[in-house]
C-alpha cells in the first residue's frame, strides 16, 4: 500500500486551499519505550507499541503559505537549496497533498530546540507540517487522523500530536488505520528532562537504515517485542503512581536494550561517542548515592536525563550548562 492511498482514504481526492497563510507548532517527543523496527517501511508502521513524553516548550513552528511560482523551503530563516535531502523530504511529503499541480508552497520552519542540542528531530518537524496543512486546507482532522498523516512523514511524528504522555498503538491493520498516537491523561508536574549535547553532528546512519539493518540481522531483536510489552506495562504502572524509580529504570533499560540490538546487528551500529559512555557512568555513580537520576538515548550520542524537580539543583551542579525542561511547564 502506498502513502498516497492512505492520504486519499483519510482526505478524499479533492479539497481546496482555504487559508493563504497558516502557522502550526508541534512539540519534540522523547520516547520512554522506543519505536525500533517497522512492520511496513513505506507507511512507517511499527513492530511494537511505544510511549513518549512531549516537551511542551520545545518543538518546531512551521509557517505555510501558497504561491504561484515555485516551492520554497526555509529552515531557521535560511533558504534551503532545492534537491537537498531536507528540501526533498519536505516537498515529497507536501506532494502527497498537492491536488493542483500549479499550486506551490512556501514552508518556513523554525526549531526552537537549540540546534546544538542535537534534538531537532523529524518528529516535531513532520507533525508541525501536518498540522499546518490541516489548517491550510481546513481538513479539521481529529488527533487520530492527524497522527496517521504525521506518521507518513516520520514514524515518531505520530507521537508529537499532543503535550504530555502519548501512546503509539502499533496496530495490526495493513493500511495502518489502527496505528496512531493516543494522548494519555497522566500528569506529572515534577517531571524534568535534561538534555546533554555530546555532539550535534548529523548521524552517519539514519534511524530508518539502522532499524532496517537491526530487524534483518540482529538475533537479539527477536526478544524486542516481548520486552517492549513488559516495559510498557511497567511505564504505565509508574505513571499511575508517579514512581520515578520504576519510570526511570524502565526507560533507561529500554533505551539500552534498543542499543544492544543495534550492537548485535551485522554490521554493528554504535551511535555512542566516548563522552556518551562517560556520562552514563557518571549518572550511574550519582544514582548509586541514592539520587533518582536516569537517562535515555535515541539514535545518536546525546543523552536525555530523567529526574524530578527536587533534584534540579543537584543535577545542575553535576551537569552545568545543560538544557533542562519541565515536561508540564
Ligand atoms: C530511536 O521516527 O526518526 O528515536 O519512521 O524512519 O522516520 P522514521 O524513524 P524515526 O525513528 C525514531 C527512533 C528513535 C526511537 C523513538 O523515537 O521511538
Amino acid at each position: 500500500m502506498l502513502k498516497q492511498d492512505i492520504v486519499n482514504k483519510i482526505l478524499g481526492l479533492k479539497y481546496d486551499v482555504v487559508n493563504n497563510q497558516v502557522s502550526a507548532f508541534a512539540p519534540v517527543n522523547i520516547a520512554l519505550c522506543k519505536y525500533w523496527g517497522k512492520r511496513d517501511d513505506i507507511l512507517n508502521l511499527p513492530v511494537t507499541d511505544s510511549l513518549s513524553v512531549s516537551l511542551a516548550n520545545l518543538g518546531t513552528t512551521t509557517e505555510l503559505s501558497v504561491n504561484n511560482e515555485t516551492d520554497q523551503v526555509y529552515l531557521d530563516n535560511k533558504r534551503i537549496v532545492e534537491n537537498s535531502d531536507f528540501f526533498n523530504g519536505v516537498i515529497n511529503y507536501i506532494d502527497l497533498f498537492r491536488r493542483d499541480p500549479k499550486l506551490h508552497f512556501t514552508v518556513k520552519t523554525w526549531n526552537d530546540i537549540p540546534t546544538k542540542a542535537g534534538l531537532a528531530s523529524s518528529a516535531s518537524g513532520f507533525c508541525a507540517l501536518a498540522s499546518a496543512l490541516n489548517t491550510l486546507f481546513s481538513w479539521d482532522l481529529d488527533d487520530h487522523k492527524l497522527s496517521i498523516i504525521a506518521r507518513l512523514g516520520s514514524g515518531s511524528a505520530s507521537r508529537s500530536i499532543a503535550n504530555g504522555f502519548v501512546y503509539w498503538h502499533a496496530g495490526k491493520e495493513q493500511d495502518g488505520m489502527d496505528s496512531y498516537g493516543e494522548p494519555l491523561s497522566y500528569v506529572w508536574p515534577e517531571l524534568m528532562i535534561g538534555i546533554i549535547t555530546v555532539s550535534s553532528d548529523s548521524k552517519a546512519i539514519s534511524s530508518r537504515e539502522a532499524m532496517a539493518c537491526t530487524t534483518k540481522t540482529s538475533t537479539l531483536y527477536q526478544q524486542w517485542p516481548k520486552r517492549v510489552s513488559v516495559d510498557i506495562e511497567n511505564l504505565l504502572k509508574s505513571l499511575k503512581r508517579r514512581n520515578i524509580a520504576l519510570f526511570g529504570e524502565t526507560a533507561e533499560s529500554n533505551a539500552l536494550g534498543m542499543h544492544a540490538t543495534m550492537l548485535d546487528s551485522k554490521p554493528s551500529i554504535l551511535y555512542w561517542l566516548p563522552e556518551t559512555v562517560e556520562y552514563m557512568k557518571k549518572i550511574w555513580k550519582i544514582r548509586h548515592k541514592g539520587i533518582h537520576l536516569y537517562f535515555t538515548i535515541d539514535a545518536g550520542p546525546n543523552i536525555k536525563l530523567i529526574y524530578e524537580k527536587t533534584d534540579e539543583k543537584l543535577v545542575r551542579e553535576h551537569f552545568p550548562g545543560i538544557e533542562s525542561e519541565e515536561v508540564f511547564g
Side-chain angles (χ1 to χ4, degrees), residues 109-123:
T109 191
W110 296 268
N111 287 315
D112 54 19
I113 315 127
T115 316
K116 69 177 174 57
L119 252 184
S121 77
S122 55

Side-chain angles (χ1 to χ4, degrees), residues 235-288:
L235 283 168
L236 291 174
K237 217 185 274 172
S238 73
L239 287 180
K240 271 185 208 126
R241 302 182 201 143
R242 293 190 192 158
N243 178 339
I244 186 72
L246 182 61
F247 181 79
E249 270 163 22
T250 309
E252 182 175 303
S253 144
N254 180 273
L256 292 174
M258 174 184 74
H259 285 275
T261 66
M262 291 188 220
L263 282 173
D264 186 44
S265 297
K266 286 126 204 123
S268 285
I269 300 162
L270 178 60
Y271 282 108
W272 302 346
L273 291 171
E275 295 92 316
T276 313
V277 178
E278 285 310 310
Y279 278 118
M280 284 160 59
K281 287 186 181 162
K282 186 168 175 178
I283 294 161
W284 287 331
K285 212 162 156 188
I286 296 171
R287 195 148 85 227
H288 242 81

Side-chain angles (χ1 to χ4, degrees), residues 299-315:
N302 301 321
I303 295 200
K304 286 111 194 179
L305 298 174
I306 299 169
Y307 57 98
E308 288 188 304
K309 252 184 232 168
T310 39
D311 291 319
E312 169 73 1
K313 192 164 165 277
L314 190 138
V315 168

